[in-house]
Amino acid sequence: MPSFAVLNGPNLNLLGQREPATYGRTTLAEIGKSCATVASELDCELSWFQSNHEGALVDEIQRLASDGTDGLVVNAGAYTHTSIAIRDALSTLDAPFVEVHISNVHAREGFRAHSYLSDIAAGVIVGCGVQGYELAVRRLSALAGQHG
């Protein structure tokens, strides 16, 4: 059974209340439940992690790399556009990761269009709302050979 992890960066703990016109009213806990449902459907294990701290995210990525996770869903939040440390940690993985953005970052401020992660990601899901998380779990499952 493949095991996947979902990593969430800064301010994602405020989903549902922070900028609902941009991010919607769905909470991070609700996204976690929907991803768990998809993982169960796909016969995959799924872990969940959120931190507002760059070093904690790097530590978790390193832990997952040593634990042999089969793939990651990564919404690094603002660190997508600023963190070489997270990029470097992700580049140590033997497993694929899918980068997720709830909003269409290309239709927002110019600095949001640049990602330090996209060129090393197995896929990038942008602007699909919270459904992007579910799509990313499905993609990881397909990459693991579970489902086409």
Side-chain angles (χ1 to χ4, degrees), residues 6-141:
V6 181
L7 273 72
N8 294 283
N11 297 311
L12 292 167
N13 57 306
L14 298 177
L15 285 176
Q17 50 186 303
R18 175 182 171 240
E19 299 181 60
T22 301
Y23 301 111
R25 296 244 179 241
T26 305
T27 67
L28 193 60
E30 291 168 332
I31 297 168
K33 287 179 187 174
S34 68
C35 285
T37 299
V38 170
S40 177
E41 169 193 322
L42 298 172
D43 199 27
C44 303
E45 293 179 7
L46 190 70
S47 66
W48 194 262
F49 185 82
Q50 188 278 327
S51 180
N52 292 319
H53 305 282
E54 183 178 33
L57 291 163
V58 169
D59 288 344
E60 182 65 6
I61 294 164
Q62 290 176 357
R63 186 189 72 74
L64 291 166
S66 68
D67 284 354
T69 191
D70 296 302
L72 296 173
V73 174
V74 178
N75 183 342
Y79 289 138
T80 301
H81 320 293
T82 64
S83 181
I84 295 168
I86 290 174
R87 176 200 169 83
D88 287 350
L90 288 168
S91 70
T92 68
L93 291 172
D94 288 330
F97 76 91
V98 176
E99 179 182 349
V100 172
H101 299 282
I102 295 169
S103 68
N104 181 354
V105 293
H106 303 290
R108 298 182 63 195
E109 303 93 341
F111 67 86
R112 294 187 193 275
H114 178 265
S115 167
Y116 279 102
L117 314 179
S118 295
D119 66 315
I120 60 170
V124 180
I125 300 172
V126 175
C128 293
V130 298
Q131 183 186 22
Y133 282 88
E134 294 175 18
L135 296 170
V137 172
R138 290 184 185 283
R139 180 63 184 145
L140 288 175
S141 179

